[in-house]
């Protein structure tokens, strides 16, 4: 078999194994090692005496990946951003955010659900993990909504869907992973996530208000807060605003000139500031230990997936599958935009069976070169491109689109991770109830993705300013 045929065969087997239930990290690493052995042995004509040589070379090749790739400074962003989120939770900042949002916007139809969306968007600005966001607000927001008569399925659905905003609003672990895989500027990608993230939140809010206005008793508003109570709720939530502004100023230097530091340093400063706030608000050793342990668990999970998938990516390089796929995509007679839409639809289907991180890591090494080739290549100018943007901007735009698709996959059955997290936190709500509750948000996400595809300026305006 030719290397390209080996690449297709091993990839197909790996996807089947993942769908059957094997963890992505282990399936990808195993596929990568087996594929490398197969390719090296095929070059020796499948000589039985050379099989041990092929195994040795394959293992050595795979063994170089974890350290050489994961020692990248950009990856240190992930644990610092996750730590910010957990420290903010144990410092009580999430409860303060929700209380402030409730007092200011709960008077609108579907007010508590709207408050949940805005509070999760605020928390997403200091947390890079959707799972953590969903778990936190399942404890805070769902009891408040049930207390005033919300349907438990919709209350759970609001939290599960709103938790996905952490995948797009910086700091986002998924955007960092995307930047590393496709070798793009982490800072610009994080900056590009702000406007689409807030745009997604606004679409959710419009959906909730629309449902509350058309269905009687769907989402009763909450009134009775005085202006004094509203203003009193703001100071406890201000530390999150201060941390976000500090990170943005440090990394992007809005006054012009060079940045004051790297995104990694900005994340470390943000974590230190939230740590000080948490100490001031009474956090003690048990809470700090829990925050550190939860950060370590989630970081190890992410890094394990990255290690495994990067071994598989090394195998893809030897099989030359990315180049072959890019050549095939560009040879199609369909319009580039139609092909892009088909790729996004394929992500929607694949996300039903895989977690977001694994899906992006497994597909990007093949799909990203194809999309860049569709646009005209990495170095193409905006005037000569298919999508009306240069190579770097196309990489940023596509990154936001695939991360938004990953958000969508966090709430789609049967693997929607956020839905399982919410059900796990709430014993009185089943996974089936959560999936039913998030159904309206499928429409909202489809509208958002369609608008991001149709109007790339929503994504590209802010990164174009720096």
């Amino acid at each position: 078999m030719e290397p390209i045929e080996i690449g297709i065969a091993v990839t197909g087997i790996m996807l089947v194994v993942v769908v059957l239930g094997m963890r992505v990290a282990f399936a990808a690493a195993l596929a990568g090692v087996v594929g490398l052995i197969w390719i090296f042995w095929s070059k020796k004509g499948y000589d039985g005496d050379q099989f041990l040589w092929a195994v040795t070379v394959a293992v050595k090749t795979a063994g170089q990946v974890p350290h050489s790739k994961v020692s990248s400074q950009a990856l240190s962003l992930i644990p610092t951003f996750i730590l910010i989120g957990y420290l903010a939770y144990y410092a009580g900042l999430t409860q303060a955010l929700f209380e402030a949002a409730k007092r200011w916007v709960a008077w609108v139809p579907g007010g508590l659900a709207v408050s949940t969306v805005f509070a999760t968007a605020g928390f997403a600005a200091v947390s890079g993990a959707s799972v953590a966001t969903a778990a936190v607000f399942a404890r805070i927001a769902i009891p408040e909504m049930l207390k005033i008569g919300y349907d438990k399925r919709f209350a759970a659905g609001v939290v599960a869907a709103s938790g996905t905003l952490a995948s797009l609003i910086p700091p986002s672990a998924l955007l960092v992973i995307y930047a590393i895989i496709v070798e793009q500027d982490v800072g610009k990608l994080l900056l590009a996530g702000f406007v689409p993230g807030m745009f997604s939140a606004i679409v959710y809010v419009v959906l909730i208000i629309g449902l509350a206005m058309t269905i009687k008793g769907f989402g009763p508003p909450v009134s009775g807060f005085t202006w004094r109570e509203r203003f009193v709720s703001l100071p406890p939530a201000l530390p999150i605003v201060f941390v976000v502004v500090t990170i943005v100023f440090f990394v992007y230097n809005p006054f012009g000139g060079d940045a004051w530091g790297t995104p990694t340093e900005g994340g470390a400063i943000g974590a230190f500031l939230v740590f000080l706030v948490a100490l001031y608000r009474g956090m003690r050793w048990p809470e700090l230990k829990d925050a550190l342990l939860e950060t370590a668990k989630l970081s190890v999970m992410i890094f394990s997936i990255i290690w495994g998938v990067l071994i598989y990516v090394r195998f893809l390089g030897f099989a030359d599958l990315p180049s072959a796929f890019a050549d095939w995509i560009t040879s199609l007679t369909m319009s580039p935009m139609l092909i892009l839409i088909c790729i996004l639809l394929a992500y929607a289907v694949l996300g039903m069976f895989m977690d977001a991180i694994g899906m992006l890591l497994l597909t990007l090494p093949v799909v990203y070169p194809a999309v860049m080739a569709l646009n005209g290549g990495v170095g193409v100018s905006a005037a000569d491109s298919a999508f009306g943007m240069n190579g770097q901007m196309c990489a940023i735009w596509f990154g936001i689109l695939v991360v938004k698709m990953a958000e969508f996959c966090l709430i789609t059955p049967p693997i929607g991770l956020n839905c399982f997290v919410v059900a796990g936190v709430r014993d009185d709500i089943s996974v089936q109830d959560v999936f039913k509750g998030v159904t309206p948000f499928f429409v909202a996400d489809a509208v958002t993705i369609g608008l991001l595809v149709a109007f790339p300026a929503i994504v590209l305006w802010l990164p174009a300013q720096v």
Side-chain angles (χ1 to χ4, degrees):
M1 294 176 70
E2 295 296 318
I4 186 68
E5 295 171 323
I6 296 173
I8 294 172
V10 172
T11 298
I13 294 171
M14 181 196 65
L15 291 177
V16 170
V17 170
V18 169
V19 171
L20 291 176
M22 180 179 282
R23 298 286 185 181
V24 171
F26 305 129
L30 181 61
V33 173
V34 170
L36 287 170
I37 294 172
W38 193 347
I39 285 179
F40 292 140
W41 195 28
S42 69
K43 291 180 178 179
K44 296 296 182 179
Y46 300 106
D47 184 349
D49 294 334
Q50 297 297 318
F51 179 73
L52 184 59
W53 170 85
V55 171
T56 303
V57 175
V59 171
K60 287 182 178 179
T61 302
Q64 296 171 358
V65 172
H67 178 266
S68 63
K69 295 294 184 181
V70 182
S71 60
S72 167
Q73 185 190 47
L75 274 178
S76 59
L77 272 173
I78 294 175
T80 57
F81 284 161
I82 293 173
L83 179 60
I84 289 174
Y86 279 111
L87 287 175
Y89 168 66
Y90 285 107
L93 294 179
T94 49
Q95 181 66 52
L97 265 179
F98 180 72
E99 187 64 29
K102 181 175 72 173
R103 294 188 186 187
W104 280 91
V105 301
W107 57 271
V108 304
L112 278 184
V114 172
S115 303
T116 300
V117 172
F118 283 132
T120 52
F123 183 64
V126 292
S127 172
S130 292
V131 172
T133 304
V136 166
F137 281 91
R139 296 184 178 96
I140 295 173
I142 291 179
E144 294 274 354
M145 285 188 274
L146 296 181
K147 193 184 300 181
I148 66 167
Y150 273 74
D151 179 81
K152 68 176 182 180
R153 291 174 297 183
F154 182 69
V158 169
V159 171
S162 300
T164 65
L165 296 173
S167 295
L168 203 54
I169 297 175
S172 164
L174 285 181
L175 282 174
V176 173
I177 291 170
Y178 173 87
I180 291 169
I181 293 295
V182 305
E183 298 180 348
Q184 288 295 319
D185 184 86
V186 175
K188 282 200 171 185
L189 271 163
L190 291 175
L191 194 62
F194 269 112
V195 175
M198 296 310 300
F199 183 76
S200 296
I202 291 171
V203 173
Y204 282 172
V205 167
V206 171
L207 170 71
I208 292 167
I209 293 176
L211 291 173
M213 291 178 68
T214 54
I215 303 175
K216 187 177 180 180
F218 188 84
V222 178
S223 57
F225 294 110
T226 65
W227 283 104
R228 181 180 182 280
E229 289 174 326
R230 289 171 178 168
F231 283 108
V232 166
S233 69
L234 293 179
L238 286 180
I240 283 186
V241 177
F242 175 71
V243 170
V244 172
V245 171
T246 300
I247 294 175
V248 170
F249 272 49
F250 187 79
V251 174
Y252 303 112
N253 188 6
F255 303 108
D258 295 334
W260 296 340
T262 65
T264 300
E265 293 164 344
I269 289 175
F272 180 68
L273 290 176
V274 177
F275 173 67
L276 293 180
V277 172
L279 289 180
Y280 176 77
R281 294 173 68 97
M283 184 183 72
R284 295 296 179 260
W285 170 244
E287 291 82 11
L288 175 60
K289 182 177 74 172
D290 288 341
L292 293 173
L293 286 174
E294 292 298 327
T295 299
K297 289 176 184 177
L298 191 53
S299 299
V300 168
M301 181 194 76
I302 293 173
F303 274 69
S304 297
I305 295 174
I306 293 173
W307 287 333
V309 172
L310 285 178
I311 293 173
Y312 167 72
V313 170
R314 180 64 63 88
F315 154 67
L316 288 182
F318 279 95
D320 202 31
L321 194 58
S323 297
F325 184 72
D327 292 340
W328 175 71
I329 286 290
T330 53
S331 69
L332 297 175
T333 56
M334 295 186 295
S335 71
M337 184 59 72
L338 183 58
I339 295 174
L340 176 65
I341 292 172
C342 290
I343 289 173
L344 296 178
L345 290 175
Y347 270 114
V349 174
L350 190 59
M352 295 179 181
F353 306 100
M354 298 179 65
D355 66 276
I357 296 174
M359 180 181 69
L360 292 188
L361 285 170
L362 288 176
T363 58
L364 283 175
V366 176
V367 174
Y368 173 77
V371 172
M372 296 302 290
L374 273 179
N375 190 49
V378 176
V380 71
S381 66
D384 298 327
S385 66
F387 298 131
M389 61 195 79
N390 63 36
Q392 185 186 41
M393 287 301 173
C394 181
I396 293 174
W397 178 56
F398 181 64
I400 297 301
L401 290 178
V402 295
V403 169
K404 182 60 189 176
M405 291 305 302
E407 281 188 4
F408 183 67
C409 298
L410 285 169
I411 57 174
T412 53
I415 309 293
L417 190 55
N418 275 22
C419 297
F420 281 93
V421 169
V422 171
V425 172
R426 299 287 308 186
D427 295 334
D428 57 327
I429 302 176
S430 67
V431 175
Q432 291 78 7
D433 287 335
V434 184
F435 278 126
K436 290 177 181 177
V438 298
T439 302
F441 295 94
F442 296 163
V443 178
D445 279 340
V447 170
T448 301
I449 293 166
L451 291 173
L452 294 180
V453 171
F455 303 102
I458 299 173
V459 175
L460 301 178
W461 177 78
L462 193 56
Q465 308 306 309
V466 297

